[in-house]
Amino acid sequence: MFRLPECFDLFTVSSGNNCRWNGAMRSGNADLNAEKIIFLCSQIQNGHADRLFKASAKISAGTIDGYFVKMYKLPGFSAQLRRRWRMGRAMHSLLAAEAVTHAHVATPQVLAAVTLISGFHICDFLITDALSEEQTTFNFTLPQRTESEQCHSLLHNILPAVARLHQHGIAHGDLNLRNLFRTDADPGAGVIDLDGTLWQKKPLSTALREQELARLLSGFCKLCGNISCTDIIDAALDNYEQLCMVHCRKEHILRRAEYLLNRTR
């Protein structure tokens, strides 16, 4: 059982064909009521986004009327059955975003987490603020920069945010440059895509920190191919340890980073 943050209100709306919308919406937003939320969810469900970022068998995501809307489709009997015993990923992302915000790391504000129950079938929806034009993810901005600028962004923009997360007991779960964005206040970095984020009351274990750093640094080396993986791990670990006062094992991170760099899918 989880505790919903006080800044959210629950709502339930029944519609035709044995459908019911259950959700939590952020209170105090005059522009976003239950009717508007259901409209946004229905739009992404029908593929009518102003800008569509993803449309797969499991997830659809895009921007609609200035909001970011993500639909978790849960295809197949097993996924539907598991969902009945687990928290939906939209609600998980809502709670994760609150934890990230509490750690003073930027993330788009979650406005609603919604579940549509239609007969036996369940699907979930997440509605957040959309990123602004200035809040570009680093996988787009870094390739346009020089090697020294790329390293500076990693060490002085990205790693301080990662260190704050880890010190607050938060593991992003998919820490790569497409899930990190430039904040309006530069220097700084924020995080998106919190589906796999874990959080706890105490700082992360060394092993979990190493997994996160290996994921981040392998992605950085792959995107910025002119930079030595060994050199960037040395520099990143020196900076990270100064920020956290935690020693991470270089050989573990390097071994995992090299595996991620060389694996084929």
Side-chain angles (χ1 to χ4, degrees):
M1 193 65 180
F2 65 92
R3 184 175 181 179
L4 188 69
E6 294 181 357
C7 54
F8 285 88
D9 300 319
L10 296 174
F11 70 90
T12 298
V13 177
S14 297
S15 58
N17 299 323
N18 197 27
C19 293
R20 186 173 76 252
W21 299 86
N22 297 327
M25 60 181 174
R26 188 173 292 275
S27 56
N29 189 333
D31 297 326
L32 199 65
N33 54 23
E35 181 180 1
K36 178 68 172 181
I37 288 170
I38 293 171
F39 167 77
L40 294 171
C41 294
S42 299
Q43 288 291 96
I44 198 69
Q45 185 178 29
N46 295 324
H48 299 155
D50 300 328
R51 184 180 178 187
L52 194 63
F53 297 114
K54 187 170 185 178
S56 69
K58 294 183 178 181
I59 289 175
S60 288
T63 51
I64 305 168
D65 293 351
Y67 300 99
F68 176 80
V69 187
K70 189 172 186 178
M71 176 184 180
Y72 304 90
K73 302 177 184 180
L74 301 173
F77 177 80
S78 60
Q80 288 291 314
L81 189 61
R82 287 194 302 270
R83 173 61 181 85
R84 279 156 174 75
W85 299 100
R86 296 179 181 177
M87 177 189 296
R89 289 169 71 186
M91 181 59 70
H92 177 95
S93 294
L94 182 156
L95 298 175
E98 293 298 297
V100 168
T101 301
H102 182 71
H104 306 293
V105 175
T107 193
Q109 187 177 66
V110 173
L111 303 174
V114 186
T115 300
L116 171 61
I117 304 173
S118 179
F120 178 79
H121 190 267
I122 294 177
C123 58
D124 295 303
F125 301 84
L126 179 71
I127 301 175
T128 75
D129 287 331
L131 294 180
S132 69
E133 292 184 0
E134 292 76 21
Q135 294 173 313
T136 313
T137 53
F138 281 95
N139 61 315
F140 287 112
T141 60
L142 286 185
Q144 305 169 14
R145 298 186 174 186
T146 65
E147 181 177 327
S148 62
E149 289 172 335
Q150 290 169 345
C151 292
H152 185 275
S153 289
L154 174 67
L155 299 178
H156 301 291
N157 295 61
I158 295 172
L159 277 179
V162 171
R164 282 196 299 275
L165 290 177
H166 291 176
Q167 290 300 91
H168 282 80
I170 300 170
H172 182 276
D174 189 12
L175 197 60
N176 60 67
L177 297 174
R178 69 174 180 273
N179 290 332
L180 290 153
F181 68 91
R182 292 182 58 192
T183 62
D184 292 327
D186 196 19
V191 292
I192 58 174
D193 198 357
L194 306 179
D195 293 359
T197 297
L198 303 175
W199 62 97
Q200 59 191 31
K201 293 183 179 180
K202 59 182 180 180
L204 293 186
S205 66
T206 300
L208 199 47
R209 291 170 189 261
E210 290 170 352
Q211 290 178 29
E212 292 256 290
L213 290 171
R215 175 77 166 156
L216 171 65
L217 297 175
S218 64
F220 180 87
C221 292
K222 185 176 292 187
L223 189 71
C224 309
N226 55 328
I227 299 176
S228 162
C229 189
T230 302
D231 291 344
I232 199 60
I233 287 176
D234 281 337
L237 284 186
D238 285 345
N239 198 342
Y240 182 85
E241 291 177 8
Q242 290 178 26
L243 291 165
C244 297
M245 304 301 293
V246 173
H247 174 70
C248 292
R249 295 160 293 189
K250 175 186 173 182
E251 63 275 12
H252 288 204
I253 295 174
L254 183 59
R255 183 165 60 247
R256 178 64 179 171
E258 289 178 341
Y259 164 76
L260 293 172
L261 281 168
N262 295 322
R263 71 175 175 174
T264 57
R265 294 184 177 181

